[in-house]
Amino acid sequence: MTVTWELRDRIAVIIIANPPVNALGKAVRERLATLVHDLDADTSIDAVVLAGAGKLFVGGADITEFDGPVEAPLPELIAAIEGSAKPWVAAIHGVALGGGLELALGCRFRVAAPGATLGLPEVNLGLIPGAGGTQRLPRLIGTETAVAVAVEKLTLDTFRAMKVGLVDRVIDGPLVDGAVSFAKEALARPLPPPASARNAAAVDWDAADARIRKAAKGLSAPPAALAALRHGIEHGFAAGIALERETFLRLRASEESAALRHLFFAERAAPRPADLRQVSPKPIAKVGVVGGGTMGSGIAAALRGAGLAVTLSERDEDALARGMATLSGIFDAAVKRGLVSVAETTERFAGVDGKVGLESLRDCDLVIEAVFEDLAVKQDVFAELGRICRPDAILATNTSYIDPREIARSLQNPGRFLGLHFFSPAQVMKLLEIIPTPDTTPETLATAFDLARRLGKVPVRSGICDGFIGNRILRRYRGEAEILVRQGLSVAAIDSAMRAFGFAMGPFEVQDLSGLDISFMQREAARARGEEVAIQPGDLLVRAGRKGQKTGGGWYDYVAGDRTPRPSDTAAKIIAPLVQGQGDLAADKIAERLVGAMAAEGEAILAEGIAASPADIDLVEVHGYGFPRSKGGPMFLTARKASST
Ligand code: T1G
């Protein structure tokens, strides 16, 4: 790490070099604090330009410090810069995020190269801006836009930042040269007041608070950021800074922020496993998708979203027409939700070449199979693909639980084969389980991780076991929930407890939605293989024709056209033979029991080498199964509880 400065025609130019993101770690803060003092006293200097080395200005405070003590606090440094006798000019390129933007807000001016990104994303980490962002920003750009940036994670590009008054000049040429020239010009005019000396107007706080709480879905930071911003406008800058700091320190010490920071680092590490960082991925431009069902069309949509050319292959014209119609429906839904424009989806749909048969996949760089979950069907598809496709084409199966080694049995060169387990809907769900076989080459694996990055997915490598990581833990979670049912707890109590914990739906509501028959058939298949699988309450329901919403009833009853689950006396009577006792358990204990079961299965998965780290398991649960982000994942939460007892 270095913070150096040089004199350029009576302007001091400071460069922060702290790769990879010029984070404002303690050493950087201390060095800058010394420079504020020294440069103020240096009579050869009239102004200061502050810039970042490498590809960005400053990516924020150093998040890794947040588990430790507060030292050399950033707010004090920024106040010193703002109060210095000589004007400071922040020269921004790449990004100025979080503490990086707050540092720039303490400068008297900000100039930026085109294409920079400015924002205050702290709420992603369960924090609020803690170094003046909620106080200086509204006083510079107006309260409405400041709320969008500091509370609702809006980022501004250079030109929009210029338009709202956050940036004073766009520097098209060499940034530091332009900043030095700007500084010299600025000295010839009266200086504008610092942000802290300005005022900001109120907005409709109640409307903003209601909007923000709705979007926050129970997360603490967004409403707290609005409260700090409001307090400063209603009670003055100093009062606002005090509340901001107290709130920031409280959230910094919270379990919720620790969980979100855990996921932040896990998500950034996921696309680049250490053992693949030196392996070059193969170029992928043209992708074949075999099967236009729900999964195949979702995968095709995700690929098009990343700008990849897609050939969608089906077995006959009717199936192809259905697949293309499903894909068109996915794009229409994305337009209705305002995610993309009509023009964008028209272009994406046009980039899908629908074909009958597999011959059209001959020149694909990658082919992803998403046909019916049947081993023989998949084996036939790969036998043909092995014959048709280029020898260097990567072949992938989207199987959700069949052993990929069995699927690839017919392949001559299985090194180019692996499992890519997308989650439905594939165009939305971020999780991608990547399942290499023992033959899969590092290059094939690296290409899969690179593809995940291009798709904006969160990739997690899984070893081969029944259900890989996610479905194996799901089976344990559901099994534990059915044990509670057998002990006399109602499914409604269990679902309510898991919703209170933070899941969108409880385990029984989810089963009714997806169908009880899927796991029933898996248990029946295991029994047919001679495995000892005890009869579970869910088996009795399926045998009685209660497969969930699709049959008008499963764990719950449903009335036609209404998906609201209603406690079912019929279901209770059917499962009664397996229920012993009048179990009663508090909601938090139910959640503790079920999350504990997930973590126990996670420990077994780690012990078997199926997952590389507890963080990977947390990513699977958060990005594939709706585990609440604010809790960090079953492994994180269980480890935190263990360390606090
Ligand atoms: N602190 C520490 N490490 C960080 C970091 C940070 N702020 N940002 C990134 N890293 C690590 C990251 O984990 C990875 O590590 C490596 O740097 C490259 O990251 C007081 C309280 C800046 C846009 O939330 O958005 O300021 O895996 O792969 O794609 O109010 O990193 O290599 O070991 O993401 O070029 C607020 C978070 C902090 C921005 C660069 N700032 N970072 O993207 O690289 S809190 C943020 C990003 C704060 C103040 C508050 C991105 C990036 P490794 P990367 P990138």
Side-chain angles (χ1 to χ4, degrees):
M1 179 292 294
T2 62
V3 178
T4 55
W5 75 279
E6 59 173 4
L7 190 56
R8 300 257 295 262
D9 195 6
R10 298 189 61 79
I11 308 296
V13 176
I14 299 175
I15 303 291
I16 300 170
N18 186 22
V21 299
N22 292 339
L24 295 175
K26 180 170 173 262
V28 172
R29 300 194 301 274
E30 287 173 336
R31 177 77 178 115
L32 286 173
T34 304
L35 280 176
V36 175
H37 174 269
D38 295 354
L39 300 182
D40 251 7
D42 187 327
T43 55
S44 71
I45 291 163
D46 298 331
V48 179
V49 165
L50 177 64
K55 63 180 183 179
L56 49 79
F57 175 65
V58 171
D62 184 341
I63 305 171
T64 61
E65 288 184 355
F66 294 162
D67 293 323
V70 176
E71 296 171 302
L74 185 56
E76 281 70 352
L77 166 64
I78 294 173
I81 290 172
E82 184 177 63
S84 70
K86 301 175 184 167
W88 283 47
V89 178
I92 297 167
H93 73 297
V95 299
L97 292 175
L101 179 55
E102 291 175 302
L103 182 65
L105 293 174
C107 297
R108 196 60 62 95
F109 300 98
R110 284 148 300 279
V111 300
T117 300
L118 297 84
L120 293 174
E122 285 87 340
V123 293
N124 284 331
L125 301 168
L127 301 168
I128 73 168
T134 64
Q135 306 303 312
R136 289 190 175 89
L137 196 61
R139 288 168 173 77
L140 278 172
I141 68 172
T143 306
E144 195 126 3
T145 309
V147 168
V149 172
V151 184
E152 299 173 285
K153 301 186 284 187
L154 174 71
T155 55
L156 304 174
D157 67 15
T158 299
F159 290 104
R160 188 148 175 214
M162 176 83 180
K163 203 168 153 201
V164 300
L166 181 53
V167 161
D168 299 290
R169 179 176 293 176
V170 178
I171 306 291
D172 278 318
L175 178 61
V176 170
D177 295 352
V180 168
S181 308
F182 176 90
K184 286 195 282 190
E185 287 170 36
L187 287 167
R189 298 186 299 268
L191 290 179
S196 58
R198 304 186 194 194
N199 294 310
V203 293
D204 181 344
W205 299 113
D206 294 342
D209 188 59
R211 181 181 76 239
I212 284 154
R213 284 183 187 280
K214 185 164 182 269
K217 296 193 182 111
L219 289 174
S220 313
L226 181 70
L229 193 147
R230 173 179 184 175
H231 192 73
I233 288 173
E234 292 180 339
H235 302 282
F237 182 83
I241 281 280
L243 180 61
E244 176 193 82
R245 192 68 185 160
E246 178 272 327
T247 305
F248 168 75
L249 293 174
R250 173 170 54 79
L251 293 174
R252 179 185 188 271
S254 71
E255 285 305 300
E256 180 174 303
S257 181
L260 292 170
R261 298 193 310 257
H262 159 70
L263 292 173
F264 169 87
F265 286 113
E267 286 157 355
R268 263 157 191 74
R272 296 178 310 220
D275 63 330
L276 295 175
R277 286 193 180 179
Q278 306 309 320
V279 181
S280 302
K282 293 162 72 78
I284 299 288
K286 190 170 169 33
V287 183
V289 176
V290 182
T294 306
M295 285 312 297
S297 52
I299 292 167
L303 292 165
R304 289 299 301 137
L308 290 158
V310 174
T311 299
L312 182 63
S313 158
E314 259 292 2
R315 61 185 181 282
D316 58 45
E317 288 298 347
D318 286 350
L320 179 61
R322 284 195 302 275
M324 295 301 279
T326 304
L327 184 58
S328 175
I330 288 171
F331 288 137
D332 291 348
V335 170
K336 283 200 189 81
R337 290 178 59 202
L339 299 175
V340 285
S341 67
V342 173
E344 182 80 25
T345 53
T346 305
E347 190 273 331
R348 290 186 188 183
F349 192 70
V352 179
D353 188 8
K355 293 288 185 189
V356 172
L358 299 174
E359 287 300 332
S360 58
L361 307 181
R362 178 175 301 283
D363 64 343
C364 287
D365 305 310
L366 162 69
V367 177
I368 301 171
E369 166 271 313
V371 300
F372 183 62
E373 272 297 88
D374 175 276
L375 177 57
V377 171
K378 291 181 184 295
Q379 285 175 328
D380 291 348
V381 166
F382 281 98
E384 271 204 78
L385 291 175
R387 182 176 53 76
I388 294 168
C389 296
R390 298 193 327 248
D392 66 318
I394 289 177
L395 305 180
T397 175
N398 171 58
T399 185
S400 55
Y401 65 87
I402 298 174
D403 185 335
R405 291 167 298 191
E406 293 306 313
I407 295 171
R409 199 163 288 291
S410 63
L411 283 181
Q412 296 306 311
N413 56 335
R416 45 102 169 249
F417 171 86
L418 79 174
L420 289 181
H421 180 206
F422 290 82
F423 284 72
S424 185
Q427 70 279 8
V428 173
M429 296 296 283
K430 281 194 166 295
L431 179 61
L432 178 64
E433 281 184 325
I434 297 180
I435 306 123
T437 73
D439 299 317
T440 302
T441 64
E443 188 186 43
T444 299
L445 197 51
T447 306
F449 273 89
D450 188 57
L451 175 73
R453 181 190 54 77
R454 294 170 69 183
L455 295 178
K457 298 278 183 193
V458 176
V460 173
R461 182 183 343 198
S462 173
I464 297 173
C465 68
D466 189 6
F468 309 130
I469 298 172
N471 282 338
R472 174 168 162 178
I473 290 177
L474 176 65
R475 190 169 58 242
R476 176 69 181 273
Y477 168 58
R478 288 178 169 172
E480 196 69 19
E482 291 204 29
I483 288 172
L484 293 180
V485 168
R486 293 218 297 270
Q487 290 171 354
L489 269 75
S490 73
V491 294
I494 295 166
D495 281 347
S496 166
M498 296 320 285
R499 266 187 276 108
F501 175 79
F503 281 92
M505 294 170 78
F508 298 102
E509 294 161 333
V510 172
Q511 285 180 59
D512 271 2
L513 188 62
S514 56
L516 280 69
D517 44 333
I518 298 165
S519 46
F520 168 72
M521 285 189 290
Q522 287 169 354
R523 288 194 293 269
E524 288 290 276
R527 291 169 185 135
R529 292 193 297 268
E531 292 174 29
E532 272 298 304
V533 180
I535 294 296
Q536 296 188 13
D539 296 330
L540 302 184
L541 292 173
V542 174
R543 287 175 178 167
R546 294 178 67 91
K547 297 177 183 176
Q549 291 189 19
K550 59 188 173 185
T551 56
W555 293 102
Y556 296 94
D557 287 339
Y558 299 87
V559 298
D562 180 355
R563 294 182 153 218
T564 310
R566 293 168 166 75
S568 167
D569 293 337
T570 308
K573 285 193 183 75
I574 290 168
I575 66 173
L578 293 180
V579 174
Q580 273 115 28
Q582 298 295 321
D584 185 18
L585 206 54
D588 61 332
K589 293 299 179 197
I590 292 172
E592 193 175 308
R593 171 81 175 267
L594 297 189
V595 171
M598 292 170 143
E601 196 64 30
E603 288 300 338
I605 284 169
L606 286 167
E608 295 166 30
I610 298 292
S613 68
D616 271 2
I617 294 172
D618 288 336
L619 289 179
V620 167
E621 291 308 308
V622 165
H623 288 290
Y625 295 81
F627 197 98
R629 286 185 69 82
S630 59
K631 300 287 197 307
M635 309 310 284
F636 172 84
L637 188 61
T638 305
R640 291 289 283 199
K641 278 196 163 50
S643 63
S644 64
T645 47

